[in-house]
Amino acid sequence: VVDEPITNHLDSSYFGEISIGTPPQNFLVLFDTGSSNLWVPSTYCRALPSSPSRAVNHAKFQPNESSTFTYNGQSFTLSYGRKLTWRPLPLQIQSITVTNQEFGLSENEPTQPFYYADFDGILGMGYPSLAAGGTPTALQGMLQQNQLTQPIFSFYFSRQPTYSYGGELILGGVDTQLFQGDIVWAPVTQELYWQVMLDEFAIGQSATGWCSQGCQAIVPADGAPAVPGQLRSGRGRPADQLWLNCNEVQNMPTITFVINGAQLPLYPSAYVLNNNGYCTLGIEATYLPSQNGQPLWILGDVFLKEYYTVFDTGNNRIGFATS
Amino acid sequence: GMVRIKLRKAKSIREKMKEAGVLDDYLKKYKHDPAKKYRFSEDY
């Protein structure tokens, strides 16, 4: 097992509470549309030597306190560490109960950055084909056990998020009070991640043509947005280190994503982050292409704050509406 | 059949590592790319 740093979650900051086991044990988990496994730390978790306190800094599942625990003898490996798979236990998310949900327990702390995470584990909401070890996803469990009215979930991110209220995940439908206008739907182009085709990208009034040969956009609910790095040639440093003059923000252009023929603009007030008078660009660069070689875009939290986003597993499509 | 789960927004790992003074060294050691988690090349 080669542990890879959990750099892919450096910018994750929205999470919610679930319970596992009988009696229920509570955990804060990242609802991650970019992975498909459910895992939490356990009392078997060993801290890495590089951890600041040599102690695991999160809520840990205690098998001995669950009346139904049994190790099923399997393990799976995620990019940031090995997980032991446990026999199905009840998973509770508010009033939703999945009676038999397989999940993973960390047997080691998944690398140094995780120590600093405010969430304990991850509940993957990607497609089942992405699940390491072939374990059923939590969403599959909810659907198979008829826990949801519709095979849909949707995210609302508040524009003024706080620790007590950062937004909502709605399981089983959409909340029409959280968006306005129509929902623009786009078909999922690959049933692995939540990925759609990006037709065009415009800066100000000008179409760039950067997607004339096709672009793919992933819609994660777990991190910062990113644009293909080649569009930022010459900068030579991550976008998040670009300091901007806050007084100039109003003069910056609107950027517009065209998805399935619909224009989805992002105003500078959305993509420039103002932290107590210090402004930075809230968009990172990525240098990795999509699986078909087309430029990969990531529509992260900056985008989701502006657009209520619906993930429709029944029709394999993603919907966007003005938040 | 429809459940609303309140999300909390906390500081990101990046922000907390920065506050702890360990981010720069970490990023020098490990190249970060936001698309790294999307492992298209791996055979899932």
Side-chain angles (χ1 to χ4, degrees):
Chain A
V1 177
V2 178
D3 286 336
E4 181 180 308
I6 190 171
T7 55
N8 44 27
H9 286 301
L10 273 187
D11 298 295
S12 301
S13 54
Y14 292 84
F15 47 82
E17 192 172 57
I18 65 166
S19 305
I20 299 175
T22 309
Q25 297 179 35
N26 296 337
F27 299 92
L28 294 172
V29 294
L30 188 70
F31 294 104
D32 176 19
T33 55
S35 67
S36 297
N37 288 89
L38 167 63
W39 67 265
V40 294
S42 76
T43 49
Y44 300 120
C45 216
R46 298 185 301 272
L48 295 174
S50 58
S51 296
S53 69
R54 301 292 302 271
V56 180
N57 192 27
H58 296 97
K60 297 179 284 290
F61 184 79
Q62 302 187 44
N64 292 338
E65 293 190 6
S66 185
S67 61
T68 51
F69 84 94
T70 322
Y71 173 45
N72 74 355
Q74 296 178 336
S75 66
F76 61 87
T77 303
L78 298 176
S79 58
Y80 35 82
R82 194 154 68 102
K83 308 285 178 283
L84 306 176
T85 306
W86 289 74
R87 288 199 192 285
L89 287 181
L91 165 66
Q92 184 101 25
I93 307 177
Q94 290 191 9
S95 61
I96 291 176
T97 302
V98 180
T99 53
N100 299 299
Q101 177 62 52
E102 281 189 38
F103 68 105
L105 291 177
S106 290
E107 65 169 358
N108 54 11
E109 186 176 6
T111 72
Q112 183 202 12
F114 185 71
Y115 173 84
Y116 295 95
D118 274 312
F119 50 85
D120 304 312
I122 293 177
L123 191 153
M125 303 187 81
Y127 276 87
S129 50
L130 188 59
T135 54
T137 68
L139 200 66
Q140 278 180 300
M142 293 176 210
L143 293 170
Q144 286 166 1
Q145 296 179 30
N146 296 316
Q147 293 290 302
L148 303 180
T149 305
Q150 300 176 77
I152 282 176
F153 61 91
S154 51
F155 278 95
Y156 165 76
F157 280 12
S158 168
R159 287 195 179 89
Q160 276 96 34
T162 64
Y163 186 81
S164 58
Y165 184 79
E168 292 178 44
L169 162 62
I170 293 113
L171 292 169
V174 298
D175 184 338
T176 54
Q177 292 186 330
L178 295 176
F179 64 91
Q180 50 189 305
D182 295 329
I183 298 175
V184 172
W185 293 103
V188 168
T189 51
Q190 185 205 35
E191 293 176 26
L192 192 64
Y193 300 104
W194 287 95
Q195 179 179 315
V196 295
M197 178 98 171
L198 180 61
D199 302 329
E200 180 57 274
F201 176 72
I203 300 176
Q205 299 298 314
S206 306
T208 60
W210 292 339
C211 291
S212 58
Q213 303 299 315
C215 289
Q216 298 292 317
I218 284 174
V219 189
D222 65 328
V227 300
Q230 59 268 34
L231 305 182
R232 300 181 40 73
S233 60
R235 301 279 187 179
R237 55 183 177 170
D240 63 304
Q241 292 179 4
L242 287 179
W243 295 94
L244 305 169
N245 183 341
C246 292
N247 296 325
E248 295 296 322
V249 171
Q250 59 187 354
N251 299 323
M252 293 181 70
T254 297
I255 59 176
T256 303
F257 300 88
V258 181
I259 297 176
N260 210 15
Q263 296 191 0
L264 304 172
L266 272 188
Y267 302 102
S269 56
Y271 68 77
V272 174
L273 308 179
N274 187 328
N275 187 6
N276 296 323
Y278 294 93
C279 288
T280 54
L281 193 61
I283 298 174
E284 296 184 65
T286 175
Y287 295 87
L288 301 175
S290 65
Q291 87 284 2
N292 65 1
Q294 292 178 342
L296 178 68
W297 299 64
I298 302 175
L299 307 178
D301 60 353
V302 166
F303 186 86
L304 269 69
K305 276 183 187 175
E306 302 301 309
Y307 294 99
Y308 182 90
T309 305
V310 188
F311 299 81
D312 183 348
T313 65
N315 297 295
N316 290 321
R317 58 182 184 170
I318 305 179
F320 305 100
T322 304
S323 183
Chain B
M2 192 173 101
V3 172
R4 304 164 69 116
I5 297 147
K6 192 168 67 175
L7 298 175
R8 305 178 191 192
K9 166 79 165 67
K11 287 180 180 173
S12 66
I13 295 174
R14 181 194 298 273
E15 290 171 304
K16 294 186 78 170
M17 288 181 75
K18 196 169 189 176
E19 288 175 359
V22 298
L23 180 66
D24 286 346
D25 282 347
Y26 180 79
L27 291 179
K28 279 178 194 164
K29 195 173 174 186
Y30 300 106
K31 184 171 169 54
H32 168 65
D33 189 300
K36 214 172 176 181
K37 75 178 285 186
Y38 304 110
R39 294 163 168 262
F40 295 113
S41 61
E42 289 190 7
D43 181 14
Y44 277 102

